[in-house]
Amino acid sequence: MGLFPRKRQRAVSSCGVLQSVPRQSAQPEAFEDNDQAQQALYAKLRAAVPVIDAAIGKIVRLTGSFQLVCSNARMQGHLDDFVANVPVGLTGTSLQCFANGYLDSLLTYGNALGEMLIDPRTGALIGLQTVPSDRVQVCPDRDAMTLEYWLHDPAKPDKIRIAHPERILFTALAPPPGGIYGVSILHGLPALSEILLRIYTCIGQNYDRMRNIHYAVTYKPSGDPAERAYAGDRARQIAKEWSEGMRAGAHGEIRDFVCAVDVDIRVIGADNALIDTEVPVRQLLEQLVAKLSIPPFLLGLNWSSTERMSTQQADILTSELEYYRRLLEPVLRQIGTAFLRLSGSTAQVAVTWDNINLQDETELAQARLWNAQAQQLETAAAT
Protein backbone atom coordinates (compact mmCIF):
# COMPACT_ATOMS: atom_id res chain seq x y z
CA MET A 1 0.00 0.00 0.00
CA GLY A 2 1.03 3.60 -0.31
CA LEU A 3 1.88 6.05 -3.00
CA PHE A 4 3.35 3.41 -5.24
CA PRO A 5 0.72 1.07 -6.77
CA ARG A 6 0.93 -2.71 -6.68
CA LYS A 7 1.55 -4.72 -9.84
CA ARG A 8 -2.12 -5.62 -10.06
CA GLN A 9 -4.47 -2.64 -9.85
CA ARG A 10 -7.67 -3.08 -7.93
CA ALA A 11 -10.97 -1.32 -8.06
CA VAL A 12 -11.64 1.80 -6.02
CA SER A 13 -12.05 1.19 -2.32
CA SER A 14 -11.86 3.21 0.85
CA CYS A 15 -8.73 1.39 1.97
CA GLY A 16 -5.30 2.07 0.72
CA VAL A 17 -2.39 4.06 1.50
CA LEU A 18 -2.32 6.22 -1.55
CA GLN A 19 -5.59 5.18 -3.00
CA SER A 20 -5.47 4.58 -6.71
CA VAL A 21 -8.15 3.62 -9.17
CA PRO A 22 -8.03 2.25 -12.68
CA ARG A 23 -7.42 4.75 -15.43
CA GLN A 24 -10.28 7.10 -16.17
CA SER A 25 -11.02 8.28 -19.63
CA ALA A 26 -11.23 11.96 -18.70
CA GLN A 27 -7.69 12.94 -17.89
CA PRO A 28 -6.47 16.52 -17.89
CA GLU A 29 -4.84 17.42 -21.14
CA ALA A 30 -1.76 19.00 -19.53
CA PHE A 31 -0.04 19.03 -16.22
CA GLU A 32 2.21 21.64 -14.79
CA ASP A 33 5.78 20.45 -15.03
CA ASN A 34 7.39 18.95 -11.92
CA ASP A 35 10.84 18.17 -13.28
CA GLN A 36 12.24 14.93 -11.85
CA ALA A 37 15.73 15.72 -13.13
CA GLN A 38 15.74 18.99 -11.23
CA GLN A 39 14.68 17.30 -8.02
CA ALA A 40 17.43 14.71 -8.45
CA LEU A 41 19.87 17.59 -8.95
CA TYR A 42 18.82 19.18 -5.65
CA ALA A 43 19.30 15.89 -3.82
CA LYS A 44 22.79 15.48 -5.29
CA LEU A 45 23.56 19.09 -4.43
CA ARG A 46 22.85 18.45 -0.75
CA ALA A 47 25.07 15.39 -0.83
CA ALA A 48 27.93 17.20 -2.59
CA VAL A 49 28.02 20.48 -0.61
CA PRO A 50 27.98 19.90 3.16
CA VAL A 51 27.18 23.57 3.90
CA ILE A 52 23.85 23.28 2.07
CA ASP A 53 22.90 20.05 3.82
CA ALA A 54 23.86 21.49 7.21
CA ALA A 55 21.84 24.66 6.59
CA ILE A 56 18.66 22.79 5.68
CA GLY A 57 19.09 20.46 8.64
CA LYS A 58 19.49 23.40 11.02
CA ILE A 59 16.41 25.14 9.60
CA VAL A 60 14.35 22.00 10.20
CA ARG A 61 15.60 21.60 13.77
CA LEU A 62 15.36 25.30 14.64
CA THR A 63 11.76 25.48 13.45
CA GLY A 64 11.02 23.91 16.81
CA SER A 65 8.31 21.82 18.38
CA PHE A 66 4.58 22.38 18.74
CA GLN A 67 1.45 21.21 20.51
CA LEU A 68 -2.02 20.60 19.13
CA VAL A 69 -4.63 22.17 21.39
CA CYS A 70 -8.18 20.79 21.23
CA SER A 71 -11.18 23.01 21.98
CA ASN A 72 -12.78 20.05 23.79
CA ALA A 73 -10.80 19.33 26.98
CA ARG A 74 -12.06 15.74 27.11
CA MET A 75 -10.44 14.95 23.76
CA GLN A 76 -7.12 16.63 24.58
CA GLY A 77 -5.62 13.45 26.04
CA HIS A 78 -6.53 11.40 22.97
CA LEU A 79 -5.09 14.09 20.73
CA ASP A 80 -1.84 14.25 22.72
CA ASP A 81 -1.48 10.48 22.50
CA PHE A 82 -1.99 10.61 18.74
CA VAL A 83 0.59 13.40 18.34
CA ALA A 84 3.18 11.48 20.36
CA ASN A 85 2.64 7.97 18.98
CA VAL A 86 1.28 8.19 15.44
CA PRO A 87 3.36 5.95 13.09
CA VAL A 88 5.20 7.79 10.33
CA GLY A 89 6.32 5.68 7.40
CA LEU A 90 8.05 2.44 8.30
CA THR A 91 10.37 3.66 11.06
CA GLY A 92 9.17 7.02 12.38
CA THR A 93 6.88 7.87 15.27
CA SER A 94 5.15 11.12 16.31
CA LEU A 95 3.70 14.03 14.45
CA GLN A 96 6.93 15.94 15.05
CA CYS A 97 8.82 13.32 13.03
CA PHE A 98 6.36 13.76 10.17
CA ALA A 99 6.63 17.57 10.33
CA ASN A 100 10.43 17.41 10.17
CA GLY A 101 10.45 15.17 7.11
CA TYR A 102 7.69 17.20 5.48
CA LEU A 103 9.57 20.47 5.98
CA ASP A 104 12.84 18.93 4.78
CA SER A 105 11.16 17.91 1.52
CA LEU A 106 9.53 21.32 1.20
CA LEU A 107 12.85 23.16 1.53
CA THR A 108 14.84 20.83 -0.71
CA TYR A 109 12.40 20.34 -3.57
CA GLY A 110 10.00 23.27 -3.16
CA ASN A 111 7.08 20.87 -2.71
CA ALA A 112 6.08 18.50 0.07
CA LEU A 113 3.60 15.66 -0.23
CA GLY A 114 2.17 13.50 2.53
CA GLU A 115 -0.73 11.16 3.11
CA MET A 116 -3.01 10.27 5.97
CA LEU A 117 -3.44 6.50 6.25
CA ILE A 118 -6.96 5.30 7.10
CA ASP A 119 -7.79 1.86 8.48
CA PRO A 120 -10.43 0.39 6.09
CA ARG A 121 -12.07 -1.59 8.91
CA THR A 122 -12.34 0.99 11.67
CA GLY A 123 -12.10 4.19 9.64
CA ALA A 124 -9.52 5.56 12.09
CA LEU A 125 -6.42 7.55 11.24
CA ILE A 126 -3.65 5.03 11.83
CA GLY A 127 -0.56 6.64 10.34
CA LEU A 128 1.15 9.24 8.20
CA GLN A 129 3.76 9.10 5.51
CA THR A 130 5.78 11.45 3.34
CA VAL A 131 6.21 10.53 -0.30
CA PRO A 132 8.35 11.85 -3.17
CA SER A 133 6.50 14.76 -4.71
CA ASP A 134 7.75 13.92 -8.21
CA ARG A 135 5.65 10.73 -8.24
CA VAL A 136 2.41 12.73 -8.06
CA GLN A 137 1.28 15.40 -10.48
CA VAL A 138 -1.06 18.11 -9.26
CA CYS A 139 -3.59 20.06 -11.23
CA PRO A 140 -6.72 22.11 -10.42
CA ASP A 141 -10.10 20.48 -10.84
CA ARG A 142 -12.79 21.76 -13.16
CA ASP A 143 -14.00 24.50 -10.85
CA ALA A 144 -10.38 25.57 -10.16
CA MET A 145 -11.10 25.68 -6.42
CA THR A 146 -9.52 22.40 -5.30
CA LEU A 147 -6.64 20.23 -6.44
CA GLU A 148 -6.60 16.85 -8.12
CA TYR A 149 -3.73 14.40 -7.63
CA TRP A 150 -2.62 11.98 -10.31
CA LEU A 151 -0.17 9.18 -9.60
CA HIS A 152 2.62 9.14 -12.16
CA ASP A 153 4.43 5.91 -13.00
CA PRO A 154 7.37 6.48 -15.39
CA ALA A 155 6.93 2.94 -16.74
CA LYS A 156 3.35 3.58 -17.84
CA PRO A 157 2.06 6.26 -20.21
CA ASP A 158 -1.25 6.71 -18.37
CA LYS A 159 -1.70 8.46 -15.08
CA ILE A 160 -3.88 7.19 -12.26
CA ARG A 161 -6.16 9.57 -10.45
CA ILE A 162 -5.99 9.36 -6.64
CA ALA A 163 -9.44 8.52 -5.35
CA HIS A 164 -9.40 10.35 -2.01
CA PRO A 165 -7.67 13.72 -2.39
CA GLU A 166 -8.89 14.74 1.08
CA ARG A 167 -6.30 12.38 2.54
CA ILE A 168 -3.43 14.01 0.65
CA LEU A 169 -1.28 16.73 2.23
CA PHE A 170 0.42 19.08 -0.22
CA THR A 171 2.37 22.29 0.32
CA ALA A 172 4.23 24.42 -2.21
CA LEU A 173 7.00 26.82 -1.25
CA ALA A 174 6.47 30.27 -2.80
CA PRO A 175 4.85 29.16 -6.07
CA PRO A 176 4.97 31.71 -8.89
CA PRO A 177 1.76 33.63 -9.71
CA GLY A 178 -0.75 31.25 -11.24
CA GLY A 179 1.46 28.24 -10.55
CA ILE A 180 0.89 25.18 -8.41
CA TYR A 181 4.39 23.89 -7.78
CA GLY A 182 6.75 25.73 -5.45
CA VAL A 183 10.37 26.77 -5.83
CA SER A 184 13.15 25.14 -3.84
CA ILE A 185 15.39 27.31 -1.67
CA LEU A 186 18.24 25.69 -3.61
CA HIS A 187 17.02 27.29 -6.83
CA GLY A 188 19.89 29.23 -8.36
CA LEU A 189 22.60 27.45 -6.36
CA PRO A 190 23.67 24.63 -8.74
CA ALA A 191 25.80 26.97 -10.88
CA LEU A 192 27.59 28.46 -7.86
CA SER A 193 27.99 25.05 -6.26
CA GLU A 194 29.54 23.67 -9.44
CA ILE A 195 32.22 26.38 -9.31
CA LEU A 196 32.82 25.74 -5.62
CA LEU A 197 33.20 21.99 -6.16
CA ARG A 198 35.53 22.63 -9.08
CA ILE A 199 37.80 24.68 -6.80
CA TYR A 200 37.82 21.93 -4.18
CA THR A 201 38.58 19.35 -6.87
CA CYS A 202 41.53 21.39 -8.10
CA ILE A 203 42.87 21.72 -4.55
CA GLY A 204 42.69 17.97 -4.13
CA GLN A 205 44.38 17.34 -7.47
CA ASN A 206 47.23 19.72 -6.62
CA TYR A 207 47.87 17.90 -3.36
CA ASP A 208 47.72 14.58 -5.20
CA ARG A 209 50.46 15.83 -7.50
CA MET A 210 52.60 17.11 -4.65
CA ARG A 211 51.91 14.33 -2.12
CA ASN A 212 54.86 13.98 0.30
CA ILE A 213 57.87 16.24 -0.12
CA HIS A 214 60.29 15.10 -2.84
CA TYR A 215 63.91 16.20 -2.87
CA ALA A 216 66.18 16.88 -5.81
CA VAL A 217 69.83 16.16 -4.91
CA THR A 218 72.22 17.56 -7.52
CA TYR A 219 75.94 16.77 -7.49
CA LYS A 220 78.10 19.33 -9.29
CA PRO A 221 81.63 18.09 -9.94
CA SER A 222 84.36 20.69 -10.23
CA GLY A 223 86.64 21.21 -13.21
CA ASP A 224 89.31 18.90 -11.75
CA PRO A 225 89.86 16.00 -14.22
CA ALA A 226 90.39 13.55 -11.35
CA GLU A 227 87.06 14.44 -9.78
CA ARG A 228 85.27 14.23 -13.10
CA ALA A 229 86.70 10.74 -13.60
CA TYR A 230 85.00 9.50 -10.45
CA ALA A 231 81.82 11.62 -10.78
CA GLY A 232 79.60 8.61 -11.43
CA ASP A 233 80.87 6.68 -8.41
CA ARG A 234 80.46 9.70 -6.15
CA ALA A 235 76.92 10.31 -7.42
CA ARG A 236 75.95 6.72 -6.65
CA GLN A 237 77.52 6.96 -3.18
CA ILE A 238 75.64 10.22 -2.48
CA ALA A 239 72.37 8.62 -3.62
CA LYS A 240 72.95 5.61 -1.39
CA GLU A 241 73.71 7.67 1.70
CA TRP A 242 70.74 9.96 1.04
CA SER A 243 68.37 6.97 0.71
CA GLU A 244 69.65 5.43 3.94
CA GLY A 245 69.20 8.75 5.76
CA MET A 246 65.59 9.00 4.53
CA ARG A 247 64.81 5.44 5.62
CA ALA A 248 66.33 6.09 9.03
CA GLY A 249 64.21 9.23 9.40
CA ALA A 250 61.08 7.16 8.82
CA HIS A 251 61.93 5.19 11.98
CA GLY A 252 62.68 8.29 14.05
CA GLU A 253 66.46 8.22 13.68
CA ILE A 254 68.01 11.52 12.64
CA ARG A 255 71.06 11.39 10.38
CA ASP A 256 72.99 14.37 9.06
CA PHE A 257 74.05 14.35 5.44
CA VAL A 258 77.68 15.50 5.16
CA CYS A 259 79.38 15.84 1.80
CA ALA A 260 82.77 17.35 0.89
CA VAL A 261 81.79 18.14 -2.69
CA ASP A 262 79.36 20.63 -4.18
CA VAL A 263 75.89 19.16 -3.62
CA ASP A 264 72.64 21.13 -4.07
CA ILE A 265 69.53 19.86 -2.27
CA ARG A 266 66.12 21.37 -3.06
CA VAL A 267 62.47 20.51 -2.50
CA ILE A 268 60.73 19.77 -5.78
CA GLY A 269 57.97 22.30 -6.42
CA ALA A 270 58.86 24.55 -3.48
CA ASP A 271 59.11 27.56 -5.77
CA ASN A 272 55.54 27.07 -7.05
CA ALA A 273 53.09 28.00 -4.29
CA LEU A 274 49.48 26.80 -4.40
CA ILE A 275 46.91 29.25 -5.69
CA ASP A 276 45.18 31.13 -2.87
CA THR A 277 41.52 30.03 -2.96
CA GLU A 278 40.34 31.73 0.24
CA VAL A 279 38.80 34.76 -1.49
CA PRO A 280 36.82 32.98 -4.26
CA VAL A 281 35.65 30.25 -1.86
CA ARG A 282 34.40 32.83 0.63
CA GLN A 283 32.60 34.77 -2.12
CA LEU A 284 30.79 31.61 -3.20
CA LEU A 285 29.94 30.63 0.38
CA GLU A 286 28.54 34.12 1.00
CA GLN A 287 26.14 33.63 -1.89
CA LEU A 288 25.08 30.23 -0.54
CA VAL A 289 24.57 31.58 2.98
CA ALA A 290 22.58 34.57 1.69
CA LYS A 291 20.27 32.25 -0.21
CA LEU A 292 19.77 29.89 2.73
CA SER A 293 19.28 32.73 5.30
CA ILE A 294 21.44 31.03 7.92
CA PRO A 295 23.92 33.10 9.99
CA PRO A 296 27.48 32.05 9.12
CA PHE A 297 28.42 31.27 12.73
CA LEU A 298 25.75 28.55 12.84
CA LEU A 299 27.52 26.77 9.98
CA GLY A 300 30.97 26.93 11.54
CA LEU A 301 32.14 29.78 9.27
CA ASN A 302 34.39 31.98 11.40
CA TRP A 303 33.79 35.26 9.65
CA SER A 304 34.29 38.50 11.54
CA SER A 305 31.04 39.85 12.99
CA THR A 306 30.08 42.09 15.86
CA GLU A 307 27.68 41.20 18.64
CA ARG A 308 25.05 43.54 17.21
CA MET A 309 25.40 42.01 13.75
CA SER A 310 24.99 38.51 15.19
CA THR A 311 21.83 39.64 17.01
CA GLN A 312 20.39 41.07 13.81
CA GLN A 313 21.20 37.87 11.92
CA ALA A 314 19.46 35.85 14.61
CA ASP A 315 16.37 38.10 14.32
CA ILE A 316 16.31 37.60 10.55
CA LEU A 317 16.58 33.84 11.02
CA THR A 318 13.68 33.98 13.49
CA SER A 319 11.50 35.67 10.87
CA GLU A 320 12.43 32.98 8.35
CA LEU A 321 11.51 30.26 10.82
CA GLU A 322 8.18 31.95 11.54
CA TYR A 323 7.46 31.85 7.80
CA TYR A 324 8.12 28.11 7.63
CA ARG A 325 5.90 27.61 10.66
CA ARG A 326 3.06 29.37 8.86
CA LEU A 327 3.48 26.92 5.99
CA LEU A 328 3.38 23.90 8.28
CA GLU A 329 0.52 25.04 10.49
CA PRO A 330 -2.36 24.35 8.03
CA VAL A 331 -1.02 20.83 7.43
CA LEU A 332 -0.75 20.09 11.15
CA ARG A 333 -4.21 21.50 11.78
CA GLN A 334 -5.62 19.38 8.94
CA ILE A 335 -4.11 16.23 10.45
CA GLY A 336 -5.39 17.02 13.93
CA THR A 337 -8.86 17.86 12.63
CA ALA A 338 -9.01 14.63 10.60
CA PHE A 339 -8.08 12.61 13.69
CA LEU A 340 -10.84 14.21 15.75
CA ARG A 341 -13.48 13.84 13.04
CA LEU A 342 -12.64 10.17 12.53
CA SER A 343 -12.80 9.77 16.32
CA GLY A 344 -16.34 11.16 16.37
CA SER A 345 -15.51 14.65 17.71
CA THR A 346 -16.46 18.00 16.20
CA ALA A 347 -13.89 19.94 18.25
CA GLN A 348 -11.51 22.40 16.66
CA VAL A 349 -7.71 22.20 16.66
CA ALA A 350 -5.17 24.98 17.15
CA VAL A 351 -1.39 24.76 16.77
CA THR A 352 0.75 26.29 19.52
CA TRP A 353 4.44 26.65 18.78
CA ASP A 354 7.22 26.76 21.35
CA ASN A 355 9.48 29.79 21.39
CA ILE A 356 12.36 29.35 18.98
CA ASN A 357 15.17 29.78 21.53
CA LEU A 358 15.95 30.75 25.10
CA GLN A 359 16.79 34.29 24.02
CA ASP A 360 13.15 34.79 23.04
CA GLU A 361 12.08 33.62 26.50
CA THR A 362 14.48 36.10 28.12
CA GLU A 363 13.29 38.99 25.97
CA LEU A 364 9.63 38.17 26.66
CA ALA A 365 10.31 38.01 30.39
CA GLN A 366 12.15 41.35 30.25
CA ALA A 367 9.26 42.90 28.31
CA ARG A 368 6.73 41.65 30.89
CA LEU A 369 8.87 43.12 33.66
CA TRP A 370 9.05 46.51 31.98
CA ASN A 371 5.30 46.51 31.36
CA ALA A 372 4.63 45.68 35.01
CA GLN A 373 6.97 48.44 36.16
CA ALA A 374 5.35 50.95 33.81
CA GLN A 375 1.89 49.97 35.03
CA GLN A 376 3.01 50.36 38.65
CA LEU A 377 4.38 53.83 37.97
CA GLU A 378 1.20 54.86 36.17
CA THR A 379 -0.91 53.60 39.07
CA ALA A 380 1.25 55.47 41.60
CA ALA A 381 1.06 58.67 39.57
CA ALA A 382 -2.74 58.43 39.27
CA THR A 383 -3.18 58.11 43.04
Side-chain angles (χ1 to χ4, degrees):
M1 298 192 304
L3 178 66
F4 309 100
R6 296 180 181 273
K7 295 182 178 180
R8 178 180 297 177
Q9 298 179 359
R10 296 179 296 181
V12 183
S13 64
S14 59
C15 64
V17 181
L18 227 155
Q19 342 77 21
S20 59
V21 298
R23 179 176 60 89
Q24 297 184 4
S25 58
Q27 292 192 25
E29 295 181 357
F31 291 91
E32 187 176 342
D33 185 25
N34 188 19
D35 192 358
Q36 296 181 1
Q38 190 175 37
Q39 297 200 7
L41 174 62
Y42 291 149
K44 292 181 180 179
L45 192 61
R46 287 190 59 175
V49 185
V51 171
I52 295 177
D53 185 65
I56 294 179
K58 290 185 183 299
I59 290 175
V60 172
R61 290 189 292 271
L62 290 173
T63 301
S65 56
F66 56 87
Q67 293 83 35
L68 296 187
V69 180
C70 181
S71 60
N72 186 349
R74 293 181 300 178
M75 293 296 297
Q76 184 64 49
H78 297 284
L79 184 61
D80 292 341
D81 181 72
F82 168 78
V83 170
N85 300 306
V86 58
V88 178
L90 297 177
T91 58
T93 303
S94 80
L95 188 58
Q96 183 71 60
C97 177
F98 172 81
N100 291 343
Y102 194 84
L103 179 59
D104 187 277
S105 176
L106 181 65
L107 297 175
T108 304
Y109 308 112
N111 305 284
L113 188 71
E115 183 186 13
M116 296 182 287
L117 309 180
I118 309 299
D119 190 337
R121 296 176 299 174
T122 62
L125 179 56
I126 59 173
L128 303 167
Q129 69 174 359
T130 57
V131 291
S133 59
D134 59 344
R135 294 298 306 273
V136 174
Q137 291 184 308
V138 185
C139 66
D141 63 359
R142 295 180 179 178
D143 59 6
M145 295 299 293
T146 57
L147 296 177
E148 292 181 349
Y149 303 95
W150 296 73
L151 188 62
H152 173 64
D153 188 352
K156 299 179 181 179
D158 298 332
K159 299 176 177 63
I160 304 171
R161 182 176 180 178
I162 295 176
H164 297 280
E166 70 279 359
R167 303 179 186 176
I168 304 301
L169 307 166
F170 177 75
T171 303
L173 179 63
I180 297 177
Y181 291 107
V183 179
S184 169
I185 63 171
L186 305 183
H187 181 72
L189 296 185
L192 296 176
S193 301
E194 181 182 0
I195 299 174
L196 181 64
L197 294 176
R198 194 180 306 163
I199 293 175
Y200 287 146
T201 302
C202 291
I203 294 175
Q205 290 175 347
N206 288 333
Y207 276 96
D208 285 339
R209 292 191 182 99
M210 295 179 63
R211 295 186 178 275
N212 295 330
I213 295 177
H214 297 276
Y215 296 94
V217 182
T218 305
Y219 166 52
K220 300 178 181 179
S222 63
D224 187 1
E227 183 177 353
R228 287 181 175 274
Y230 295 99
D233 294 337
R234 291 183 176 180
R236 285 189 291 271
Q237 184 179 6
I238 291 173
K240 177 183 177 182
E241 295 297 329
W242 180 263
S243 299
E244 291 181 356
M246 292 294 101
R247 284 193 294 268
H251 298 285
E253 181 183 354
I254 299 177
R255 292 187 181 182
D256 295 328
F257 184 75
V258 181
C259 189
V261 294
D262 186 7
V263 176
D264 182 26
I265 301 175
R266 293 185 180 183
V267 177
I268 298 176
D271 297 334
N272 300 320
L274 292 177
I275 299 176
D276 185 11
T277 58
E278 181 178 359
V279 174
V281 167
R282 174 163 178 171
Q283 290 177 344
L284 294 171
L285 290 178
E286 286 175 348
Q287 297 292 325
L288 298 179
V289 169
K291 179 67 172 173
L292 298 171
S293 302
I294 291 289
F297 60 85
L298 290 181
L299 299 174
L301 301 175
N302 298 320
W303 297 342
S304 60
S305 62
T306 62
E307 182 179 357
R308 182 174 180 84
M309 183 184 299
S310 299
T311 303
Q312 291 175 346
Q313 290 175 343
D315 292 339
I316 294 174
L317 176 60
T318 301
S319 65
E320 292 288 332
L321 298 177
E322 293 288 350
Y323 170 67
Y324 297 135
R325 285 181 170 186
R326 290 194 296 270
L327 293 177
L328 285 178
E329 189 167 332
V331 176
L332 300 175
R333 193 165 50 244
Q334 180 181 352
I335 295 173
T337 302
F339 170 76
L340 293 177
R341 296 297 179 270
L342 294 174
S343 299
S345 174
T346 59
Q348 302 299 320
V349 175
V351 181
T352 303
W353 292 91
D354 296 339
N355 288 325
I356 292 176
N357 54 33
L358 187 59
Q359 182 179 357
D360 294 339
E361 296 280 1
T362 304
E363 293 178 354
L364 290 174
Q366 186 67 46
R368 288 195 298 268
L369 175 61
W370 287 341
N371 290 333
Q373 292 175 346
Q375 185 177 3
Q376 184 180 3
L377 293 175
E378 292 173 355
T379 303
T383 57

